[in-house]
Amino acid sequence: MQSATTLAEPRPTVADFHRVNRGGGLFSESVSQWLGAVFALVAQRLGLRPTALTVTNLVLGLATSVTVVALAGRVAAGDVPAWAVGLLALVGWQVAYALDCADGQLARVTGQGSAAGARVDVLCDVAAQIALVAALAATAVAQEPSTPSWLVAVFAGTWMVNLVTSVMQAGPNAASMVTSTSLPVRLVKLVRDYGAVIFAAGLVLIFAPALALWVMVAFTIVNGGFLLASIAFSARASLR
């Protein structure tokens, strides 16, 4: 005889949300995705939809970057302490990225994923990263007014390589140039781990904003080099 009382299905845990994460690199998996799993759990308990987390990520990311841009000149002049603005950037960008991780986890665990939601996620990522690039460029120019305009343009363009390749790797034709998952390789890949990159950028803004120009140079070289390598890798594969 079937009991009139049925046991409720167990609620998902933080570990359940983290288990469905899409990676992103050593730092992202170890920090950002776990924080995202906590946010996803809270959102699930509150009955929020994944897009609510996506939009919150965008609002927080934009607010953080706009604040950095607005205060860049005053930081350079010494009127505002660099550590305060840098700490705001470090925390704001990290929390925004964790929310970006959380929306996908929430969608996969609760079955609320949709093509429209995925498009909103990508578009919000683009907007948030444009603002972040503007914040780093504004800091560099404020600290070093002679920063070449062409460098700012190339930095902004090559920064999007990470986002474009991430989107491309999500499809049926995804492929990786470096498939090894060994620790040394994953440590090297930290230079392209978005969570690690924005963490490093925040530290620079806290302790040495004058180095923002060289941060731009470094990431222009890294992302530009990766773009050229990706083109060569894909071209070789297409000729086989």
Side-chain angles (χ1 to χ4, degrees):
M1 179 177 178
Q2 185 176 7
S3 171
T5 303
T6 58
L7 295 177
E9 293 184 4
R11 286 185 170 186
T13 65
V14 170
D16 292 327
F17 285 107
H18 185 266
R19 193 174 296 117
V20 299
N21 80 81
R22 293 294 176 85
L26 185 60
F27 183 96
S28 291
E29 290 179 14
S30 302
V31 179
S32 307
Q33 294 287 2
W34 276 110
L35 184 56
V38 173
F39 289 153
L41 178 68
V42 173
Q44 189 267 337
R45 297 289 194 268
L46 295 175
L48 299 178
R49 295 185 64 83
T51 299
L53 299 181
T54 304
V55 174
T56 304
N57 151 44
L58 174 62
V59 171
L60 179 58
L62 288 179
T64 300
S65 297
V66 167
T67 301
V68 173
V69 171
L71 296 177
R74 298 184 64 186
V75 169
D79 298 331
V80 174
W83 68 265
V85 176
L87 183 60
L88 171 68
L90 178 67
V91 174
W93 288 336
Q94 286 295 328
V95 172
Y97 179 49
L99 288 167
D100 183 35
C101 297
D103 59 8
Q105 294 176 2
L106 180 63
R108 288 186 284 275
V109 170
T110 61
Q112 298 182 76
S114 67
R119 289 195 296 271
V120 171
D121 185 27
V122 172
L123 293 172
C124 286
D125 286 346
V126 172
Q129 292 198 33
I130 289 172
L132 187 146
V133 167
L136 294 177
T139 299
V141 172
Q143 294 287 332
E144 183 52 67
S146 62
T147 299
S149 57
W150 64 263
L151 175 60
V152 175
V154 175
F155 167 67
T158 55
W159 181 276
M160 289 301 166
V161 171
N162 275 358
L163 184 59
V164 171
T165 53
S166 295
V167 172
M168 292 174 63
Q169 288 178 359
N173 298 318
S176 174
M177 293 187 298
V178 182
T179 58
S180 173
T181 57
S182 65
L183 182 58
V185 170
R186 300 193 77 195
L187 289 173
V188 171
K189 284 185 173 182
L190 280 174
V191 73
R192 300 192 65 253
D193 180 337
Y194 185 71
V197 166
I198 59 177
F199 181 75
L203 291 180
V204 169
L205 295 186
I206 291 173
F207 298 108
L211 295 180
L213 171 61
W214 295 106
V215 169
M216 287 175 48
V217 171
F219 282 107
T220 297
I221 293 173
V222 169
N223 291 327
F226 183 78
L227 175 60
L228 294 176
S230 296
I231 292 172
F233 174 81
S234 300
R236 185 178 67 175
S238 70
L239 295 174
R240 290 177 181 172

